[in-house]
Amino acid sequence: MGKGKINSGVGVGERLLAWYDRSRRTLPWRAAPGQKPDPYAVWLSEVMLQQTTVAAVGAFYAKFLGLWPRVENLAAAPVEAVMQAWAGLGYYSRARNLHACAQSIVRDHGGRFPNSEADLLRLPGIGPYTAAAIAAIAFDRPAIVVDGNVERVIARLRAVETPMPAAKKEISALVAEIAPRVRPGDFAQAMMDLGATICTPRNPACVLCPLRGDCAASAAGTQEDYPRKAAKKPRPLRRGAVFYLRRSDGAVLTRTRPPRGLLGGMEEFFGTDWRSERPADWAALPPTGDGAAAPHAHADWRHAGEIEHVFTHFALKLAVFVAEAPHSAPAPEGGRWQDEPQMRAAALPSVMRKAERAALGFLAVSGLSGEKIGS
């Protein structure tokens, strides 16, 4: 449990709001002082910012607004176009849910966002955090908004000893304790800004913090010890293969992943499943073995190396195989040939872009003169 009680006298919340009025960040989705927030902008940014940094989101946010400036535009877009625009942001189920949510808002709410947490929670892809953030920031409704920045601020302010994620409920209660009765949207954004700019994970700028006099961790000199973290479980390793097949005219063979599950609805190259029991030398095996089912298995497949990628719950090593096919080669069932402009725009997730770079690098250096599989 945390130590002591936060001094809420003249208000931690009020002092934080005063600091925010002086030091607030200027963000493309944030309303300027005195302006009414746009619920569409708030919703879009909050979904994009999940598991992602502000710096990474800026270009994607601008792209989405350029393509779909209103929720009605997003709802009317093909889901494939939304997935394509999202490629590179990760956690791709968010893109599918974003599209489904836009359609629900247009179909069930006349294009207007609900303004209560309870109604927002009924929308596809909106969980407790996002509902609270939209309610507070877009509609100035009292709501307890706790993201990673807020967790860090409160864990240090109160010296919360309970490790994350078990401390989430305790931290939410402590946020409610210091929240002022006014300006809930500004308070939520002030907490986020404090964590992002002052109370940073490493080397926090405590001397500049408006809450330094209330911070138990700062007083003890233990700022960077919080939030406490539970010991991480080892991340299992899975192995697989991916097949980069290029036609003589430059077109590349791809397919679409199933709509549900990991990377659902995204583009990919043909490949194996991803298993944890494969041996370390599995990548040296012929691509037609072990259930690999390489497209055009008779092609002259070459081993172009191995890539690594880390997902939330497992690490992945993919052997990359490269081959060429004649211009007349048909696409196997479920596949399609895509030319260079189409490949540039394809909704390939990051792991497939890594495979693409490995294949292109291999071709640039050696063409198909490298190690022949099975030789």
Side-chain angles (χ1 to χ4, degrees):
M1 294 293 289
K3 301 174 183 176
K5 180 178 177 63
I6 294 173
N7 173 19
S8 53
V10 168
V12 169
E14 285 77 2
R15 279 184 283 111
L16 185 61
L17 284 174
W19 170 84
Y20 180 70
D21 289 339
R22 300 188 304 270
S23 307
R24 58 184 287 154
R25 290 180 292 176
T26 299
L27 300 173
W29 48 82
R30 180 175 286 176
Q35 290 184 343
K36 187 175 181 180
D38 177 6
Y40 178 59
V42 173
W43 165 68
L44 186 59
S45 65
E46 287 297 338
V47 174
M48 287 186 169
L49 285 165
Q50 293 169 22
Q51 308 292 332
T52 316
T53 65
V54 167
V57 162
F60 286 94
Y61 176 81
K63 179 198 295 186
F64 266 70
L65 276 194
L67 292 169
W68 307 295
R70 294 171 52 84
V71 70
E72 291 87 353
N73 306 128
L74 182 58
V79 67
E80 295 80 9
V82 177
M83 298 294 288
Q84 185 180 86
W86 191 274
L89 261 179
Y91 297 89
Y92 295 98
S93 62
R94 292 181 296 166
R96 293 194 302 272
N97 287 333
L98 192 81
H99 186 256
C101 186
Q103 292 186 320
S104 177
I105 289 167
V106 172
R107 181 184 63 245
D108 304 326
H109 299 276
R112 298 175 65 87
F113 280 79
N115 61 13
S116 72
E117 283 185 79
D119 288 338
L120 287 163
L121 277 168
R122 296 188 181 98
L123 294 170
I126 292 188
Y129 165 77
T130 307
I134 297 171
I137 298 169
F139 299 107
D140 217 28
R141 292 291 191 98
I144 303 304
V145 184
V146 182
D147 69 352
N149 285 315
V150 177
E151 288 172 349
R152 186 168 57 255
V153 169
I154 294 297
R156 289 170 174 173
L157 195 66
R158 186 69 181 268
V160 175
E161 296 294 341
T162 307
M164 299 298 297
K168 286 180 177 291
K169 186 175 181 180
E170 181 181 353
I171 286 174
S172 292
L174 292 170
V175 173
E177 182 181 313
I178 67 170
R181 295 178 181 272
V182 297
R183 302 172 61 189
D186 284 346
F187 173 73
Q189 292 175 104
M191 290 289 285
M192 296 175 189
D193 279 12
L194 187 69
T197 64
I198 301 294
C199 196
T200 51
R202 286 173 291 278
N203 301 316
C206 296
V207 69
L208 302 177
C209 181
L211 307 184
R212 185 182 185 188
D214 300 270
C215 184
S218 179
T222 56
Q223 303 93 307
E224 295 194 42
D225 294 342
Y226 297 94
R228 303 292 197 197
K229 296 180 181 179
K232 287 186 178 181
K233 295 180 180 179
R235 186 181 276 120
L237 174 64
R238 299 180 188 177
R239 296 180 185 275
V242 63
F243 306 111
Y244 185 92
L245 186 64
R246 187 174 69 177
R247 210 166 55 182
S248 57
D249 63 351
V252 177
L253 183 65
T254 69
R255 65 184 178 187
T256 302
R257 291 180 66 87
R260 301 297 175 192
L262 183 65
L263 307 179
M266 302 296 290
E267 288 287 296
E268 68 170 359
F269 304 113
F270 279 70
T272 68
D273 58 359
W274 303 341
R275 299 187 211 164
S276 57
E277 66 270 18
R278 287 184 170 122
D281 62 353
W282 181 81
L285 299 176
T288 53
D290 194 23
H296 295 275
H298 59 278
D300 187 15
W301 287 102
R302 307 283 173 152
H303 186 201
E306 192 173 50
I307 63 165
E308 298 182 4
H309 193 78
V310 177
F311 293 96
T312 304
H313 300 298
F314 66 94
L316 176 67
K317 288 189 176 182
L318 284 180
V320 180
F321 299 130
V322 177
E324 286 194 332
H327 182 273
S328 60
E333 183 179 357
R336 60 183 165 277
W337 295 103
Q338 301 208 62
D339 61 23
E340 185 176 346
Q342 290 171 323
M343 286 301 297
R344 283 199 301 267
L348 287 172
S350 299
V351 62
M352 290 297 147
R353 289 294 181 193
K354 287 182 180 179
E356 180 185 48
R357 288 194 293 272
L360 291 174
F362 173 79
L363 290 171
V365 170
S366 57
L368 291 178
S369 62
E371 172 192 0
K372 182 177 178 180
I373 297 300
S375 62

